Amino acid sequence: MIHEKRLAYVLLQHCILSYRHERVMHQEVQQSEEPDPTEDKAAESDCIYNYHNARLQCGLLFLNIIDAIKEGDGCRLIQCYKVVLLFNYKFKHTKYAYILLLLFAKIFALLPEREAELLVHNRFLNKKGKRGANIPLDLHMEHLNLVLKKLLQTMGGKITETAAQRCARSITVMNEVMDTVYEECDKAHRSGYHGNKNSKETVQSIINDLLQGNVFQFIPGRDGYQAFKKFKSNILDIDYRDFFSWIQNHLKNWIGVYETPHNQ
């Protein structure tokens, strides 16, 4: 019995060594016999067409995010963030990808239903009360920080921790008083929106360049730009097995850190 097991072990090792020998010694022959499909794809590809399509996709994604924020549409913003997560993972922005993945985990698994709804929808502020005039809450916090810095600068060398806390607590009341004064004086606040009033000529120039270059007409074999010579058609060609493995590893770590509604 022992002799048969040893013989089977020797035969198995022989098969493994033979397979390794064939793979290493005859690898060049096998590669030369089989045509490389990537060369045919590169010859049929249009790098300029791929570049402008990818740029158009990213632009539409950003416009969708901006519009979702202005309309206060939390569900649409979360859907856009799912695509942003893929971009962050693809281009190695691991911190942003980690934050977005944690956000999704809190919304769909970790938080109770009511808190998850608040996390989705309570992300905007509309100070003007107009349609499509929402801003992110973190941007509003930056505005408050700017007001606080101005108040602290007026103190000069007399600033203390107690005085700084007093100024921070007075910001909300001070803004309400200022808004009342503006309304009584029939004076509008200066808008912080940075827009270009004379954008027609710029847009027309860009359109003419795109039409002359036939950038949205697929021409097989056309070389790309100098900085993007080999631009792929799919800019999110990630290995989804690694991506899902990355997700599973973080979910396993978060199980011991966060309490879910089922185990509270």
Side-chain angles (χ1 to χ4, degrees):
M1 187 68 179
I2 298 176
H3 176 72
E4 292 177 357
K5 289 183 178 181
R6 182 171 181 80
L7 179 62
Y9 176 78
V10 172
L11 290 175
L12 178 61
Q13 291 293 325
H14 176 73
C15 293
I16 294 174
L17 293 175
S18 300
Y19 170 74
R20 291 177 178 176
H21 171 78
E22 293 292 332
R23 186 180 62 177
V24 173
M25 299 300 296
H26 303 285
Q27 184 177 7
E28 298 180 356
V29 177
Q30 293 177 359
Q31 289 181 352
S32 61
E33 293 176 355
E34 297 180 359
D36 190 1
T38 58
E39 295 181 358
D40 296 336
K41 291 182 179 179
E44 298 175 357
S45 178
D46 185 354
C47 296
I48 292 180
Y49 177 84
N50 295 339
Y51 169 79
H52 285 281
N53 271 276
R55 189 171 183 178
L56 185 62
Q57 293 173 19
C58 294
L60 292 175
L61 175 62
F62 292 143
L63 289 177
N64 199 5
I65 292 174
I66 293 172
D67 186 68
I69 293 174
K70 288 183 177 180
E71 297 297 332
D73 193 346
C75 293
R76 177 152 60 111
L77 184 62
I78 295 300
Q79 293 295 330
C80 294
Y81 281 167
K82 292 180 181 179
V83 183
V84 176
L85 172 61
L86 297 177
F87 276 99
N88 288 328
Y89 180 82
K90 164 66 178 178
F91 297 104
K92 308 299 182 182
H93 301 297
T94 54
K95 292 183 179 179
Y96 295 109
Y98 177 89
I99 292 173
L100 286 176
L101 181 62
L102 181 58
L103 174 65
F104 297 146
K106 289 181 177 179
I107 293 174
F108 298 109
L110 299 177
L111 294 179
E113 185 176 357
R114 177 175 173 79
E115 294 184 10
E117 288 291 326
L118 292 176
L119 185 59
V120 172
H121 299 287
N122 191 20
R123 312 177 66 85
F124 317 101
L125 176 69
N126 193 335
K127 296 184 64 178
K128 299 180 179 180
K130 297 180 180 180
R131 183 180 300 176
N134 291 278
I135 62 173
L137 283 178
D138 56 351
L139 178 60
H140 176 63
M141 183 59 66
E142 292 295 329
H143 295 164
L144 297 180
N145 290 336
L146 180 61
V147 175
L148 179 60
K149 290 179 181 178
K150 291 181 179 179
L151 292 175
L152 297 180
Q153 287 177 356
T154 58
M155 295 183 180
K158 298 180 181 180
I159 183 173
T160 60
E161 183 177 355
T162 303
Q165 292 179 356
R166 189 185 305 116
C167 290
R169 296 191 186 101
S170 66
I171 289 177
T172 304
V173 178
M174 184 184 66
N175 286 336
E176 293 177 356
V177 173
M178 292 177 62
D179 292 339
T180 304
V181 173
Y182 272 90
E183 291 178 0
E184 293 178 353
C185 297
D186 195 16
K187 185 177 180 181
H189 283 279
R190 182 180 178 183
S191 177
Y193 177 74
H194 300 281
N196 188 3
K197 296 182 180 180
N198 301 321
S199 60
K200 185 176 180 179
E201 295 183 0
T202 304
V203 173
Q204 190 62 43
S205 176
I206 294 174
I207 292 175
N208 293 335
D209 292 339
L210 295 177
L211 292 177
Q212 291 176 4
N214 295 324
V215 297
F216 293 112
Q217 180 181 357
F218 185 80
I219 302 176
R222 181 165 55 171
D223 294 331
Y225 296 111
Q226 186 67 25
F228 307 99
K229 291 184 177 180
K230 301 296 181 181
F231 203 91
K232 298 181 180 180
S233 59
N234 183 14
I235 56 178
L236 289 177
D237 55 340
I238 62 177
D239 189 343
Y240 287 95
R241 291 173 297 181
D242 294 340
F243 178 65
F244 290 133
S245 176
W246 174 77
I247 293 177
Q248 290 293 335
N249 291 334
H250 284 300
L251 293 179
K252 290 178 182 179
N253 295 332
W254 291 337
I255 289 176
V257 177
Y258 296 96
E259 292 184 356
T260 62
H262 300 287
N263 59 16
Q264 286 180 350

